[in-house]
Amino acid sequence: MKFMRLFFRPLFFKAGYMKFIKMHGCGNDYIYFDCLEKDFPGGSEGERQAAIKLSDRHFGIGGDGIIIIKKGKKADFEMVMYNADGSRSQMCGNGVRCVGKLVYDAGYTKGREFTVESMGAVKVLTVTEGERGDKVEKLSVDMGKPILAASKIPVAIKSENRVIQYPLKIGGVEYKTTCVSMGNPHSVVFINKKPSDFPVCEVGPLFENNEFFPERTNTEFAYVEDRRTIWMRVWERGTGETLACGTGTCATVVAAIMNGLVDAGETITVHLLGGDLEIVWSGNEDDSVFMTGPAETVFEGEINEY
């Protein structure tokens, strides 16, 4: 823990260099910058350009995007998240768990429960499992209430009704989508076998950019194995296929409960390419969705300032 304190605060902006830490939750990896005491160089445009350049897996550090940690206005901390294409994202369930691990391991918070905001939405994080020495291994997040009204997700239906098994023609094939927002829009498609061979990289972009989704969409392709188990792959808007998506996993469980495929109020295990997440939702749209999963540090380093 002493090393982490030394790494982040005094040395973050060494002359001409910036420190970063690479982290992942179930393989959903981001590049993290501690800006609790000093702003990211170049303001929001500098942040956007950094996301594009550094996320490149061949010419940059490599990641699904960047996350910048700042002092919170409405919460203990704020995460500012950019996708790999430089677009802003409202929330990332795997990313916020990694933020939680980072600030806890670095000693920036003393309590095992604290808050993180992203684009105005506040999430409550709890350190739930195993500190390996003084390092967090697993956290639980109150992901807030699911947004189920069509016009608020949003989709191209001016209605307050839910969007359940809505027929949508994509690439000449009719799919049925159930739509949920967890602070960002999701289109959940249930398929009849495990998605290991599903053409996610072909179909995902067609969903993302379909006119039915005015703000684009994340799309989950999910197979329900039994009433407590789901297998899922995800196409994330602005990034492409990722090994996991926390908000997408929450949206998938919400969609599965609305379709009567899994049990409300029970812990549902979702198997993703990068690992497993556990989700609980009561089935009541006034109740929060709770997500529990791991957060891991990959490596630390420094780059030239932009």
Side-chain angles (χ1 to χ4, degrees):
M1 187 159 64
K2 289 181 180 178
F3 175 77
M4 295 293 286
R5 287 195 182 109
L6 180 64
F7 173 82
F8 279 102
R9 288 197 169 176
L11 298 182
F12 177 59
F13 288 99
K14 191 174 72 176
Y17 291 90
M18 297 168 58
K19 294 284 187 177
F20 69 87
I21 182 166
K22 176 79 176 289
M23 305 181 76
H24 79 88
C26 293
N28 194 192
D29 59 335
Y30 288 87
I31 305 152
Y32 293 78
F33 292 94
D34 173 359
C35 290
L36 288 170
E37 293 188 346
K38 189 170 182 178
D39 292 340
F40 196 94
S44 58
E45 181 58 22
E47 295 170 354
R48 191 183 74 82
Q49 290 296 329
I52 296 169
K53 294 176 182 178
L54 299 180
S55 298
D56 190 292
R57 297 188 185 277
H58 299 287
F59 299 102
I61 297 167
D64 293 326
I66 71 170
I67 292 178
I68 299 161
I69 304 170
K70 303 181 179 183
K71 292 179 180 178
K73 301 177 184 67
K74 298 166 56 178
D76 297 318
F77 305 95
E78 179 185 8
M79 60 179 270
V80 177
M81 177 186 170
Y82 289 85
N83 296 314
D85 68 353
S87 60
R88 281 293 304 271
S89 184
Q90 293 98 323
M91 175 49 61
C92 172
N94 293 310
V96 76
R97 289 199 318 278
C98 289
V99 169
K101 173 178 171 59
L102 192 156
V103 299
Y104 190 88
D105 285 355
Y108 295 161
T109 178
K110 301 296 184 184
R112 294 175 68 89
E113 183 175 288
F114 47 92
T115 54
V116 177
E117 65 178 290
S118 178
M119 295 187 78
V122 177
K123 307 300 180 190
V124 179
L125 280 70
T126 306
V127 175
T128 61
E129 185 179 294
E131 294 175 64
R132 193 169 47 222
D134 56 2
K135 307 300 182 189
V136 175
E137 296 176 36
K138 204 169 187 179
L139 300 96
S140 179
V141 186
D142 178 344
M143 294 294 291
K145 304 172 186 177
I147 298 168
L148 305 177
S151 62
K152 295 178 182 177
I153 292 171
V155 298
I157 301 174
K158 296 187 182 301
S159 169
E160 297 303 298
N161 293 331
R162 298 182 178 186
V163 183
I164 300 176
Q165 294 293 80
Y166 185 87
L168 197 61
K169 187 161 283 191
I170 300 288
V173 178
E174 184 175 282
Y175 294 90
K176 291 184 178 179
T177 178
T178 298
C179 298
V180 178
S181 173
M182 291 301 306
N184 52 359
H186 292 271
S187 170
V188 182
V189 177
F190 293 104
I191 57 179
N192 58 12
K193 62 179 181 179
K194 291 180 182 178
S196 54
D197 296 325
F198 190 86
V200 171
C201 293
E202 296 174 22
V203 179
L206 302 180
F207 268 92
E208 177 183 357
N209 297 294
N210 189 277
E211 61 185 8
F212 186 67
F213 306 104
E215 296 181 5
R216 299 188 294 166
T217 190
N218 306 280
T219 306
E220 289 73 37
F221 302 96
Y223 168 71
V224 179
E225 182 175 71
D226 57 44
R227 299 197 69 82
R228 304 285 176 84
T229 311
I230 297 174
W231 296 78
M232 188 192 98
R233 287 173 66 187
V234 58
W235 179 270
E236 292 198 55
R237 63 175 180 171
T239 299
E241 183 174 17
T242 59
L243 297 183
C245 175
T247 56
T249 305
C250 292
T252 296
V253 171
V254 169
I257 289 171
M258 290 196 298
N259 281 283
L261 301 175
V262 298
D263 296 322
E266 301 292 341
T267 298
I268 309 301
T269 299
V270 182
H271 300 299
L272 303 134
L273 293 180
D276 297 345
L277 292 174
E278 297 175 342
I279 310 297
V280 179
W281 183 51
S282 70
N284 185 333
E285 63 184 286
D286 291 326
D287 290 340
S288 290
V289 182
F290 290 87
M291 171 192 63
T292 301
E296 298 286 341
T297 298
V298 184
F299 61 86
E300 304 166 355
E302 62 183 24
I303 57 169
N304 290 329
E305 269 191 42
Y306 282 88

